[in-house]
Amino acid sequence: MVLLLLMLLTFGSTARIVLSEGAPWKSVEPELAPDSLLVRLDRLVNVCVANYEDLTTDLLLGIAIANAQLRTILKQPLQDTQRQFVESLAKKCDFVESRIESIFSFPSGANAVVSKLLIDSEFWQTEGGIKAAPMDRKQARRSRRRRSQLMVDDPQALMESYLQAIDAGGPSELQSDECLSELLVNESENEFNFTSDTNSKAPPSISSPKRLILSRECSAAMSLRKRSYGYHLTHKLLFYLVLGRQRFANVDHRFVADGQRTLCEQILREANLIAGFDYPDLFRDLFMEQVFLCAYSDAPLEDFTNPDWLAAIVSWQNGEGCFKYYADEGDGVVGTNALTTHCSTHMTGVGAALFGLFARLQLVQ
């Protein structure tokens, strides 16, 4: 199977590794400008509105993240017509996001808990003092060494090794949900770790800082000392993104930001490999997830805001306004439902988050 995939990937093409030079946003093509990205997001959201009853949690999460970016954009000075458009788009996202209320009943499993709590645009807004930790000189040298290594490695050998490793490691999808739920729902454990001061002068609206208690299993699954690949690696990064946003009293933000940077340096190696092979269909969904998560992180690498990468992703949006994963083709599903005939819900959800994020990165300084 590995050899077959490798043959499909390499047939008729010569691999090349392309490194971003951090092109300034002002030089991007018109189709990558924020207004163009917001129009694309609007088309995507319209598909979701038209298929409201068939939305999945993957798609809803992407819409919630995109909605958070729109809310941040609306806090900036905008032209009247632009503001009206963004406000209208945010209202559509609110409607789509509200679908989560009718999907799950509680109590339920870890996936339902995580979905219910993460599908909330307020959780993903980029406010509250979350900033990238500065890279020290040692980290900068290490990053440069890793990037230079990409240029000397044999791309074909890298791809062969990648195909063999992509399913190895952890966390698994189940572990990812369970560990995210430990970050999001831990009041029953944390109430035994501090006592509230009834004589405190603090306003009642200010809660005591939460402390993280992570199980031994999740500590092992999310350890930076264990290498992960593919979706295992992006799931690990998602864990560190949520960890950073929870602001636990016993977790240093610099540790979280450094962990995100370390993971994105590993992801960059994979993303460059995928781009070097001209974005094979097999890896497009993963590539979009890699670019979004690392561009969104608290310690972003400029490589992930490469306009060439964004241009490639934009070109994958189809005429329906969504994204289609090639493996879903020919599955026998027919009908008028765009979400089953023309769209891959996970890929479309990531696309929504990407459009919102890259519009915000250009509009919000």
Side-chain angles (χ1 to χ4, degrees), residues 13 66 110 126 207 217 226 231 241 276:
S13 66
T126 53
S207 60
E217 292 77 13
K226 295 183 178 180
Y231 289 106
L241 289 175

Side-chain angles (χ1 to χ4, degrees), residues 82-109:
Q82 189 180 41
R83 178 171 295 278
Q84 291 172 5
F85 181 79
V86 177
E87 287 176 345
S88 173
L89 180 51
K91 288 179 181 178
K92 291 181 186 178
C93 289
D94 285 339
F95 173 72
V96 174
E97 191 179 329
S98 69
R99 177 70 174 114
I100 188 63
E101 298 298 333
S102 57
I103 289 181
F104 293 120
S105 59
F106 287 88
S108 192

Side-chain angles (χ1 to χ4, degrees), residues 248-266:
F248 291 107
N250 58 334
V251 177
D252 185 357
H253 177 65
R254 178 173 290 278
F255 164 79
V256 178
D258 287 347
Q260 292 178 19
R261 180 179 290 115
T262 296
L263 293 171
C264 284
E265 286 174 350
Q266 296 172 14

Side-chain angles (χ1 to χ4, degrees), residues 19-326:
L19 294 176
S20 169
E21 295 298 332
W25 282 118
K26 64 182 180 181
S27 68
V28 300
E29 298 297 325
E31 63 267 21
L32 305 183
D35 286 348
S36 296
L37 295 177
L38 292 174
V39 168
R40 287 181 174 276
L41 177 59
D42 186 60
R43 290 174 53 211
L44 187 156
V45 174
N46 285 339
V47 177
C48 298
V49 172
N51 298 274
Y52 182 77
E53 294 297 325
D54 301 306
L55 301 175
T56 65
T57 54
D58 287 340
L59 184 49
L60 288 172
L61 178 58
I63 295 295
I65 295 172
N67 198 7
Q69 313 311 303
L70 297 176
R71 299 298 175 182
T72 302
I73 290 172
L74 286 170
K75 295 180 180 180
Q76 307 300 307
L78 300 171
Q79 295 179 354
D80 289 344
T81 55
Q82 189 180 41
R83 178 171 295 278
Q84 291 172 5
F85 181 79
V86 177
E87 287 176 345
S88 173
L89 180 51
K91 288 179 181 178
K92 291 181 186 178
C93 289
D94 285 339
F95 173 72
V96 174
E97 191 179 329
S98 69
R99 177 70 174 114
I100 188 63
E101 298 298 333
S102 57
I103 289 181
F104 293 120
S105 59
F106 287 88
S108 192
N111 177 264
V113 171
V114 170
S115 298
K116 178 75 172 180
L117 296 176
L118 288 187
I119 299 173
D120 179 357
S121 56
E122 291 187 7
F123 182 88
W124 297 100
Q125 288 196 39
T126 53
E127 298 177 293
I130 295 179
K131 297 180 180 179
M135 181 185 293
D136 61 31
R137 292 182 179 180
K138 178 184 288 187
Q139 290 170 326
R141 287 195 300 270
R142 181 180 62 187
S143 179
R144 284 195 296 269
R145 283 198 304 270
R146 291 185 179 184
R147 294 180 198 180
S148 64
Q149 186 66 31
L150 286 169
M151 300 169 62
V152 300
D153 282 339
D154 175 32
Q156 181 130 347
L158 280 173
M159 179 57 80
E160 186 172 2
S161 298
Y162 185 46
L163 285 168
Q164 293 173 343
I166 195 168
D167 291 327
S172 66
E173 189 170 350
L174 177 59
Q175 284 178 317
S176 180
D177 287 337
E178 291 177 342
C179 295
L180 284 172
S181 70
E182 289 190 16
L183 297 183
L184 295 165
V185 185
N186 58 2
E187 290 82 0
S188 61
E189 294 177 320
N190 285 339
E191 66 186 9
F192 299 107
N193 288 280
F194 63 86
T195 55
S196 59
D197 183 2
T198 56
N199 297 319
S200 173
K201 302 297 182 181
S205 60
I206 300 178
S207 60
S208 301
K210 298 181 294 183
R211 294 181 62 83
L212 172 63
I213 298 179
L214 199 62
S215 67
R216 182 177 301 176
E217 292 77 13
C218 285
S219 295
M222 299 300 172
S223 173
L224 294 174
R225 293 189 295 271
K226 295 183 178 180
R227 284 300 301 265
S228 301
Y229 302 90
Y231 289 106
H232 299 299
L233 185 53
T234 54
H235 286 178
K236 187 178 287 187
L237 176 57
L238 177 61
F239 176 88
Y240 276 81
L241 289 175
V242 174
L243 176 61
R245 302 194 75 80
Q246 287 297 80
R247 300 302 187 90
F248 291 107
N250 58 334
V251 177
D252 185 357
H253 177 65
R254 178 173 290 278
F255 164 79
V256 178
D258 287 347
Q260 292 178 19
R261 180 179 290 115
T262 296
L263 293 171
C264 284
E265 286 174 350
Q266 296 172 14
I267 289 172
L268 177 60
R269 188 178 182 86
E270 298 186 15
N272 269 306
L273 187 61
I274 293 169
F277 274 87
D278 197 24
Y279 316 102
D281 285 344
L282 178 66
F283 295 118
R284 287 183 178 181
D285 179 83
L286 173 60
F287 181 79
M288 291 171 64
E289 192 168 295
Q290 292 169 335
V291 171
F292 167 72
L293 290 173
C294 285
Y296 180 83
S297 72
D298 296 348
L301 301 176
E302 65 180 18
D303 303 77
F304 289 97
T305 56
N306 182 345
D308 291 338
W309 287 6
L310 180 59
I313 292 170
V314 163
S315 72
W316 304 335
Q317 187 179 26
N318 61 30
E320 295 293 328
C322 56
F323 292 82
K324 181 74 170 178
Y325 179 47
Y326 92 104

